[in-house]
Amino acid sequence: MSKTGNHIKADSNHREGRSCVRYKCSLMNTVLDVLHQRPGWVEVKEDGEWDFNWCDVGWLRENFDHSYMEEHVRICHFRNHYELTRKNLMVKNLKRYRKTVEREAGRLEAVKCDFFPLTFVLPSEYHLFVEDFKRSPGSTWIMKPVARSQGKGIFLFRKLKDIMEWKKVKICSSNTDCTRSDEQRDEAQVESYVVQSYIENPYLIHGRKFDLRVYILVTSYLPLKAWLYRDGFARFSNTRFSLRTIDDQYVHLTNVAVQKTAPVYNPEKGCKWQMQQLRRYLTAKHGTYVVEELFKDIDNIFIRSLQSVQKVIINDKHCFELYGYDILLDQDLKPWLIEVNASPSLTASNQDDYEMKYSLIEDTLHIVDMEGRLTGKEKRVGGFDLMWNDGPVFRENAGLETLGSPFQTANTHLGGVNDRKKQLRQLLKPFPGQKKV
């Protein structure tokens, strides 16, 4: 049980799993649908005592430090999740991690960390940015607020004068920080920006730009334990790509929140491909080997980005996090990390999207395992595959002759067959109080 402001004695039977799970949920979307339909789960309101909380990050910020949680209680964010999910902090941690890798393992290993665009934080790194800007005249840059989502506040530019008004306002406000409280300075930090070298040669399908949304579930940072979901999707722009029109957000931003406002948007058709469809398309065009290497490079992004924050995230056994990774491919099939979302949209855009997200949330709850139905040794749970467990995880079907050799195959299946219902029937014990079918 958990209740803000009150300490409640731990239940000595929590390890056996719970036949009744009391939950709170601050979202009114697919998450709530899954929680409502889960056997033995009961919603509590307002100040009721809870065992499980799918909260938004605002609730976490206001309440986490004042909540006393029993052993079995679970909550859907780590305390300082923003070290990975706020754009400026993600880049800061990745840059520091790359330096550490180069110092400890050499330059060749550090090159494996070069998967994020050249990035500066403004206004603090404005002068560094200007130096680089002048070295590459005519290049396109992209400005993004560090803590906003759904494409809000993003714009492209090629001339310094395009950001001069922004610079005046921001530097002016930052110079008043000395008179502000810590809380006010935090609010100002939210409105800082990152400026990044824009990827001018994205991989195009039918002339349109797209990016990938991939889901990673982290249940522990110390040791690091991460699961990769088999499903995901590519998000397409509605308008053919061109660098001649850098002001057209329908060309350059693939966020669904942006694209669904386009005049040509068709809600029935949508602007997504399922990950399996994208993988089949790429395989038909480039061959199996090339696509397998691409997906290995994408796996590398997941692991190294998580390792970059492993020592700064406050690990807590009560916490888990379902991240939404945004990955962009360039025309050379190099994957780039665009950002990581702590609250990826779980609101469906159509029926297929709803079914995928419903399954994603359901499998997340299976792994969090409030009911105590798992052994803790599983490598797969529904659509999730365990990709890292204090070290790389390999597939079961590796032959004995390959064990200990560089030919072991990572236990990842992004864009592969997701026969989750069949696998769950074989894996899971019945819910407490239910007979196995």
Side-chain angles (χ1 to χ4, degrees):
M1 285 176 273
S2 178
K3 187 170 182 177
T4 305
N6 292 306
H7 178 71
I8 301 167
K9 188 177 178 182
D11 180 353
S12 61
N13 294 322
H14 72 273
R15 295 180 192 277
E16 298 300 319
R18 310 184 72 79
S19 57
C20 177
V21 176
R22 295 161 300 176
Y23 69 86
K24 281 186 76 170
C25 181
S26 57
L27 306 179
M28 301 295 291
N29 57 20
T30 318
V31 176
L32 193 59
D33 291 349
V34 176
L35 293 171
H36 274 156
Q37 295 175 44
R38 197 161 180 87
W41 287 50
V42 179
E43 186 173 11
V44 297
K45 302 292 186 182
E46 301 302 327
D47 293 330
E49 295 171 354
W50 49 270
D51 307 304
F52 179 93
N53 192 344
W54 198 297
C55 65
D56 57 40
V57 294
W59 187 97
L60 185 88
R61 185 168 56 246
E62 294 173 11
N63 295 284
F64 188 92
D65 290 339
H66 311 294
S67 299
Y68 300 93
M69 300 185 197
E70 293 184 27
E71 184 86 10
H72 71 278
V73 166
R74 294 293 180 267
I75 190 166
C76 71
H77 296 290
F78 286 91
R79 174 66 184 85
N80 59 335
H81 59 87
Y82 46 77
E83 292 285 351
L84 181 61
T85 59
R86 192 173 287 176
K87 299 175 187 72
N88 57 334
L89 298 179
M90 178 189 83
V91 170
K92 181 185 85 171
N93 287 313
L94 284 169
K95 287 179 177 178
R96 183 182 62 230
Y97 174 74
R98 190 195 187 285
K99 288 180 181 177
T100 301
V101 171
E102 183 164 0
R103 184 174 65 249
E104 295 178 355
R107 186 166 295 177
L108 282 177
E109 192 67 18
V111 167
K112 297 177 183 176
C113 304
D114 293 339
F115 49 72
F116 56 99
L118 178 64
T119 304
F120 300 93
V121 178
L122 301 188
S124 60
E125 296 180 330
Y126 179 77
H127 296 296
L128 290 173
F129 158 65
V130 170
E131 288 179 19
D132 215 283
F133 179 91
K134 289 178 177 177
R135 282 197 290 268
S136 52
S139 295
T140 308
W141 297 80
I142 185 167
M143 286 273 284
K144 304 175 182 178
V146 300
R148 289 201 242 172
S149 60
Q150 298 184 324
K152 296 185 182 79
I154 296 177
F155 63 93
L156 277 63
F157 67 96
R158 292 197 182 108
K159 298 177 182 177
L160 280 179
K161 71 178 180 63
D162 294 337
I163 61 167
M164 290 309 290
E165 283 305 311
W166 176 90
K167 179 194 165 206
K168 286 176 188 173
V169 172
K170 286 296 169 184
I171 290 185
C172 211
S173 64
S174 69
N175 286 339
T176 65
D177 274 1
C178 55
T179 63
R180 297 181 178 189
S181 67
D182 288 345
E183 186 175 341
Q184 287 171 322
R185 280 198 292 272
D186 286 344
E187 289 300 314
Q189 175 67 18
V190 167
E191 281 305 305
S192 293
Y193 275 64
V194 293
V195 57
Q196 293 181 318
S197 177
Y198 185 64
I199 296 169
E200 296 180 324
N201 62 333
Y203 190 98
L204 304 179
I205 295 180
H206 306 317
R208 296 182 299 156
K209 179 181 175 180
F210 66 93
D211 70 358
L212 311 181
R213 168 56 60 87
V214 187
Y215 299 99
I216 300 286
L217 174 64
V218 175
T219 52
S220 168
Y221 271 98
L222 291 173
L224 180 60
K225 189 168 186 177
W227 302 76
L228 170 62
Y229 204 62
R230 297 186 174 201
D231 294 344
F233 47 85
R235 306 180 297 184
F236 285 84
S237 62
N238 280 286
T239 308
R240 293 178 70 86
F241 182 79
S242 171
L243 286 172
R244 290 194 296 273
T245 53
I246 64 170
D247 296 330
D248 191 339
Q249 61 180 354
Y250 300 128
V251 171
H252 299 284
L253 304 185
T254 59
N255 311 68
V256 174
V258 170
Q259 292 298 326
K260 69 182 182 182
T261 66
V264 296
Y265 178 73
N266 180 343
E268 292 298 317
K269 186 178 177 183
C271 52
K272 295 178 181 177
W273 277 12
Q274 292 300 318
M275 192 66 69
Q276 287 80 356
Q277 182 181 359
L278 177 72
R279 186 158 187 163
R280 286 194 302 269
Y281 176 92
L282 294 173
T283 300
K285 191 164 185 180
H286 300 284
T288 301
Y289 175 78
V290 169
V291 173
E292 286 182 351
E293 290 302 303
L294 164 64
F295 277 73
K296 285 179 188 176
D297 290 342
I298 295 174
D299 290 347
N300 173 70
I301 291 177
F302 302 144
I303 295 304
R304 291 188 180 273
S305 60
L306 293 172
Q307 289 176 330
S308 77
V309 297
Q310 190 177 1
K311 293 180 180 178
V312 296
I313 293 283
I314 301 168
N315 193 59
D316 189 318
K317 62 189 175 187
H318 300 101
C319 302
F320 67 94
E321 192 105 35
L322 180 64
Y323 294 108
Y325 272 73
D326 292 344
I327 307 288
L328 180 71
L329 308 183
D330 69 20
Q331 64 186 18
D332 300 318
L333 286 182
K334 174 181 171 63
W336 296 88
L337 175 60
I338 303 302
E339 66 177 302
V340 184
N341 298 275
S343 301
S345 173
L346 296 170
T347 300
S349 55
N350 56 38
Q351 186 60 31
D352 287 343
D353 199 41
Y354 180 84
E355 290 172 6
M356 190 275 286
K357 288 176 176 174
Y358 191 101
S359 299
L360 168 72
I361 300 159
E362 197 170 47
D363 291 345
T364 298
L365 298 184
H366 290 327
I367 290 174
V368 173
D369 194 28
M370 297 296 292
E371 302 92 351
R373 298 194 292 165
L374 301 180
T375 66
K377 298 178 181 179
E378 291 81 5
K379 285 188 177 182
R380 180 185 176 190
V381 177
F384 276 110
D385 297 289
L386 183 62
M387 70 180 307
W388 196 268
N389 189 14
D390 203 21
V393 180
F394 300 105
R395 297 184 191 179
E396 297 283 3
N397 60 2
L400 291 176
E401 70 279 1
T402 67
L403 291 177
S405 79
F407 300 108
Q408 285 176 290
T409 306
N411 187 46
T412 57
H413 302 265
L414 180 60
V417 174
N418 188 3
D419 53 344
R420 57 179 293 276
K421 290 184 179 179
K422 176 182 176 183
Q423 196 269 345
L424 289 170
R425 282 196 299 269
Q426 297 169 347
L427 174 71
L428 292 177
K429 295 184 286 186
F431 282 101
Q434 284 189 329
K435 293 181 180 179
K436 191 170 182 75
V437 179

